[in-house]
Protein backbone atom coordinates (compact mmCIF):
# COMPACT_ATOMS: atom_id res chain seq x y z
CA UNK A 1 0.00 0.00 0.00
CA UNK A 2 2.83 2.37 0.83
CA UNK A 3 4.44 1.77 -2.58
CA UNK A 4 1.18 2.68 -4.33
CA UNK A 5 0.91 5.95 -2.44
CA UNK A 6 4.52 6.84 -3.26
CA UNK A 7 3.99 5.95 -6.91
CA UNK A 8 0.91 8.16 -7.09
CA UNK A 9 2.67 11.05 -5.37
CA UNK A 10 5.63 10.69 -7.72
CA UNK A 11 3.34 10.67 -10.75
CA UNK A 12 1.50 13.76 -9.50
CA UNK A 13 4.83 15.47 -8.94
CA UNK A 14 5.91 14.68 -12.48
CA UNK A 15 2.68 15.94 -13.96
CA UNK A 16 2.75 19.19 -12.04
CA UNK A 17 6.38 19.79 -12.99
CA UNK A 18 5.57 19.31 -16.70
CA UNK A 19 2.71 21.84 -16.78
CA UNK A 20 4.85 24.97 -16.22
CA UNK A 21 7.31 23.77 -18.85
CA UNK A 22 4.45 23.27 -21.30
CA UNK A 23 3.12 26.75 -20.57
CA UNK A 24 6.59 28.26 -21.02
CA UNK A 25 7.02 26.32 -24.26
CA UNK A 26 3.68 27.52 -25.61
CA UNK A 27 4.48 31.14 -24.80
CA UNK A 28 7.94 30.82 -26.35
CA UNK A 29 6.48 29.38 -29.53
CA UNK A 30 3.80 32.09 -29.64
CA UNK A 31 6.47 34.74 -29.20
CA UNK A 32 8.76 33.25 -31.87
CA UNK A 33 5.90 33.06 -34.38
CA UNK A 34 4.71 36.59 -33.70
CA UNK A 35 8.23 38.00 -33.76
CA UNK A 36 8.33 37.01 -37.45
CA UNK A 37 5.09 38.94 -37.98
CA UNK A 38 6.49 41.90 -36.04
CA UNK A 39 9.67 42.02 -38.16
CA UNK A 40 7.45 42.24 -41.23
CA UNK A 41 5.45 45.25 -40.03
CA UNK A 42 2.33 43.44 -38.82
CA UNK A 43 -0.14 45.57 -36.83
CA UNK A 44 -1.24 43.49 -33.85
CA UNK A 45 -4.91 43.65 -32.90
CA UNK A 46 -4.98 41.51 -29.74
CA UNK A 47 -4.03 42.96 -26.39
CA UNK A 48 -1.38 40.23 -25.94
CA UNK A 49 0.18 41.12 -29.28
CA UNK A 50 0.13 44.84 -28.57
CA UNK A 51 1.59 44.27 -25.09
CA UNK A 52 4.42 42.08 -26.40
CA UNK A 53 5.27 44.04 -29.57
CA UNK A 54 5.45 47.73 -30.34
CA UNK A 55 2.85 48.67 -32.94
CA UNK A 56 4.39 52.13 -33.48
CA UNK A 57 6.25 50.95 -36.58
CA UNK A 58 3.59 48.61 -37.99
CA UNK A 59 2.23 49.18 -41.46
CA UNK A 60 0.23 46.12 -42.60
CA UNK A 61 -2.40 43.57 -41.68
CA UNK A 62 -1.14 41.23 -44.41
CA UNK A 63 2.67 40.94 -44.25
CA UNK A 64 4.75 39.44 -47.04
CA UNK A 65 6.94 36.62 -45.75
CA UNK A 66 9.94 35.03 -47.38
CA UNK A 67 9.73 31.31 -48.08
CA UNK A 68 12.01 30.69 -45.13
CA UNK A 69 9.75 32.70 -42.83
CA UNK A 70 6.67 30.88 -44.14
CA UNK A 71 8.33 27.54 -43.35
CA UNK A 72 9.31 28.77 -39.88
CA UNK A 73 5.73 29.88 -39.17
CA UNK A 74 4.33 26.56 -40.37
CA UNK A 75 6.81 24.64 -38.25
CA UNK A 76 6.03 26.70 -35.16
CA UNK A 77 2.28 26.26 -35.70
CA UNK A 78 2.77 22.48 -35.95
CA UNK A 79 4.74 22.51 -32.70
CA UNK A 80 2.04 24.59 -31.01
CA UNK A 81 -0.62 22.18 -32.24
CA UNK A 82 1.37 19.11 -31.12
CA UNK A 83 1.84 20.64 -27.68
CA UNK A 84 -1.82 21.57 -27.37
CA UNK A 85 -1.12 25.29 -27.15
Amino acid sequence: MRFSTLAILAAVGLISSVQPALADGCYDLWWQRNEIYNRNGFCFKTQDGMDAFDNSDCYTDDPDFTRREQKQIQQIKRQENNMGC
Side-chain angles (χ1 to χ4, degrees):
M1 185 85 163
R2 183 174 179 199
F3 178 73
S4 301
T5 304
L6 290 176
I8 291 169
L9 291 174
V12 170
L14 278 174
I15 291 169
S16 64
S17 68
V18 170
Q19 293 303 324
L22 180 62
D24 290 345
C26 287
Y27 177 78
D28 290 343
L29 290 169
W30 175 88
W31 197 90
Q32 289 172 13
R33 179 171 45 82
N34 283 290
E35 175 57 27
I36 298 168
Y37 278 81
N38 185 53
R39 284 193 316 257
N40 285 280
F42 184 71
C43 297
F44 291 92
K45 304 286 188 273
T46 66
Q47 192 62 50
D48 288 341
M50 291 185 289
D51 288 345
F53 303 99
D54 181 12
N55 261 356
S56 66
D57 59 347
C58 75
Y59 56 88
T60 186
D61 292 332
D62 187 23
D64 291 322
F65 301 114
T66 65
R67 284 188 181 174
R68 181 174 184 228
E69 289 171 327
Q70 289 171 352
K71 287 180 181 181
Q72 287 175 322
I73 291 168
Q74 290 170 352
Q75 181 182 18
I76 293 168
K77 284 182 176 182
R78 277 194 303 274
Q79 287 178 288
E80 288 174 311
N81 188 43
N82 290 340
M83 290 178 64
C85 299

